[in-house]
Amino acid sequence: MNRRAVTLVLLALAACLAFALSTFCGSTGCGGGDSDIVWQLRAPRTAAAFAVGGLLSLAGALMQVLLRNPLADPYVLGVSGGSAAGAMLGLVFFPALAWSLQAGALSGALLSMLLLMALAQKSLFTPLPASSAPAGVRLILTGVMIASAFGALLSLMLALAPDNTLRGMFFWLLGDLEGSRFYPLAWGVLILAVGWALLAAPQLNVLVHGDATAFLLGIRVGRLRLTTLLVASMATAAAVSVAGTIGFIGLVVPHAARLLLGNDQRLLLPACVLAGGIALVLADLLARTMAAPVQLPVGVITVLVGVPVFLFLLARSRT
């Protein structure tokens, strides 16, 4: 427990260091520079990156508990697809409204959640015997179908979009933190999600061992499963509405945190928030500086770094 507490403290210190590095470094170098650039552009973008990274990582950890599947991530149940499709619809039909993308993203996420709950309600609300893998399988298959439908809708919108908006839409779909002015939304959702996760962590620890065990210990499995899905989905929706679709943060970071801290959700969930924030802040710093003055989509950086890191963690893992 002492070693794990020290790990959490080190993660918090690393988060502060990454935040300062990203705020004071950019395409023009580190230190000095125009104070307006530092505090009006870099600082909000860094705050947005940390909140989005924490949301995606927390959502990934919750999805892996919910589905009891180490390959689950925030996008596996189609929530991100619905959020991205809603955002693109808002951008196409209401381009003059500054908040149309964010409102569309949240509406799309809500629609995808309602579809998932309607189509997989038995898997969500019915406690299953010890071999509850079918529940996770049904949820994943339902989510994959929902994601495929929204993916087709996205492809259709990209095909019909005018040329003057096509590049912006494509760039946003690859992950774009230019909308950092909306970072208070991400931080508000993050604070609420972390608060709920800390309160629910003991029950989530029991849920990891199976529905039957949780049911026998007096936990209302259906309500816990539904609440976990709602929190993870809203975290994903808030992240997508601010930064677009960014992959691998929700898959790689929980794996790395689990190798360091074990599977105790009381420690794992806050560690995932810190580590996810650090990972995306550093990825955004690379996106801004690697090909300066050109800024790369941050989602490209997370995939390029996340693939070899995940393969390394997979080789190190015993399961």
Side-chain angles (χ1 to χ4, degrees), residues 74-307:
Y75 303 135
V76 73
L77 295 183
V79 177
S80 72
S83 186
M88 290 298 100
L89 284 172
L91 196 62
V92 169
F93 290 105
F94 306 99
L97 297 178
W99 45 266
S100 61
L101 189 146
Q102 284 68 34
L106 293 174
S107 301
L110 179 61
L111 176 60
S112 64
M113 280 191 294
L114 292 175
L115 284 173
L116 182 66
M117 286 187 285
L119 295 172
Q121 55 181 322
K122 184 177 180 181
S123 299
L124 280 171
F125 300 113
T126 305
L128 296 174
S131 59
S132 56
V137 171
R138 281 193 292 268
L139 279 171
I140 291 174
L141 289 176
T142 305
V144 167
M145 292 301 101
I146 293 173
S148 299
F150 281 120
L153 181 59
L154 273 173
S155 299
L156 179 62
M157 284 188 290
L158 289 173
L160 299 177
D163 292 341
N164 60 339
T165 62
L166 189 59
R167 186 180 185 278
M169 293 170 66
F170 187 70
F171 200 89
W172 184 85
L173 287 173
L174 292 176
D176 181 19
L177 282 162
E178 286 297 328
S180 57
R181 64 185 181 278
F182 293 101
Y183 74 91
L185 168 67
W187 273 100
V189 175
L190 179 62
I191 291 171
L192 293 175
V194 169
W196 176 86
L198 292 176
L199 291 174
Q203 295 185 20
L204 293 173
N205 277 335
V206 179
L207 187 64
V208 169
H209 298 288
D211 291 350
T213 302
F215 185 74
L216 289 173
L217 291 176
I219 294 175
R220 300 178 67 176
V221 175
R223 186 174 68 176
L224 178 61
R225 204 187 274 138
L226 175 62
T227 309
T228 303
L229 174 63
L230 289 174
V231 171
S233 298
M234 292 311 299
T236 303
V240 172
S241 68
V242 172
T245 52
I246 298 174
F248 273 87
I249 294 292
L251 178 63
V252 173
V253 172
H255 270 287
R258 198 172 288 109
L259 288 175
L260 285 174
L261 297 169
N263 206 28
D264 186 347
Q265 307 302 313
R266 295 171 298 176
L267 297 172
L268 179 64
L269 296 178
C272 283
V273 172
L274 292 172
I278 294 168
L280 193 56
V281 164
L282 295 180
D284 182 55
L285 180 60
L286 282 176
R288 289 188 282 121
T289 58
M290 182 179 291
V294 177
Q295 293 190 17
L296 302 175
V298 68
V300 173
I301 303 298
T302 59
V303 173
L304 290 176
V305 176
V307 169

